[in-house]
Amino acid sequence: MKTIIVELSTPVEYNHDKKDVEGSHVELKEPNAKVSHLCGDLEGIIQEAIAKSASMISQEMRDLVKEATESNESKNKDEDEPMDGETLLKMVAAGGGNMGKMTILFKDLLRSVGEIGGEKQMTMPIIERLSHKDFRSMMGEYLANFVYL
């Protein structure tokens, strides 16, 4: 099972083996069937926002994008550059995606797929201690790596 590690800019304290420990990273496992419904809901929000954003682009802009894409296709025939998490979240927000709903869904998902310090399952109290910046980064990276395929 694939795992990604997200370094925290602000460490989070948690209790492990009856000691207070400072977690500096979170390990995120790829989703399994148990959490597929959450991934499906998150992907739906992403797809809807991207479709809405694309429909708002003018024909002139579409022509420019098509021209640039065709130009780059000849340069990058075999290179399929993956989307990073921050870009994905910006696209969703720009397309009017429900970021609040995404946040709630991801918190629920994080309890199943995340381990603080790679040793303790994420709980809601630990999740709520994460900085907004770290949570957002984690959400973007997870969605880009495991949900928006």
Side-chain angles (χ1 to χ4, degrees):
M1 188 170 270
K2 185 177 172 189
T3 301
I4 58 174
I5 296 174
V6 177
E7 296 294 329
L8 301 176
S9 61
T10 305
V12 174
E13 283 195 12
Y14 63 98
N15 190 285
H16 184 68
D17 290 336
K18 299 181 183 179
K19 295 185 289 187
D20 285 337
V21 181
E22 198 171 79
S24 61
H25 73 280
V26 175
E27 291 185 16
L28 301 169
K29 299 175 287 189
E30 71 179 301
N32 57 25
K34 181 180 177 182
V35 295
S36 288
H37 63 290
L38 296 170
C39 294
D41 288 347
L42 287 163
E43 186 171 13
I45 293 169
I46 293 167
Q47 294 292 353
E48 184 178 337
I50 290 172
K52 186 176 178 183
S53 182
S55 71
M56 296 186 308
I57 297 175
S58 69
Q59 185 59 45
E60 183 178 316
M61 189 63 129
R62 286 184 198 157
D63 292 342
L64 288 172
V65 169
K66 183 179 178 185
E67 186 179 311
T69 302
E70 288 171 353
S71 172
N72 283 336
E73 280 178 357
S74 60
K75 296 176 190 172
N76 302 325
K77 282 235 186 242
D78 295 328
E79 296 176 29
D80 208 10
E81 191 173 318
M83 183 177 302
D84 68 278
E86 185 60 28
T87 302
L88 178 61
L89 291 179
K90 285 179 180 178
M91 284 175 50
V92 171
N98 188 335
M99 297 299 288
K101 184 174 181 181
M102 281 184 73
T103 299
I104 292 167
L105 289 167
F106 186 70
K107 281 182 181 179
D108 204 17
L109 180 62
L110 190 53
R111 291 183 3 214
S112 294
V113 301
E115 291 182 349
I116 184 80
E119 62 188 6
K120 182 172 181 166
Q121 195 70 34
M122 295 292 282
T123 62
M124 201 51 77
I126 295 171
I127 293 169
E128 290 174 353
R129 285 194 291 272
L130 293 168
S131 73
H132 172 69
K133 179 181 177 183
D134 285 335
F135 182 82
R136 182 179 164 86
S137 172
M138 196 178 313
M139 181 167 64
E141 287 307 311
Y142 195 83
L143 294 174
N145 280 281
F146 296 125
V147 177
Y148 182 66
L149 305 174

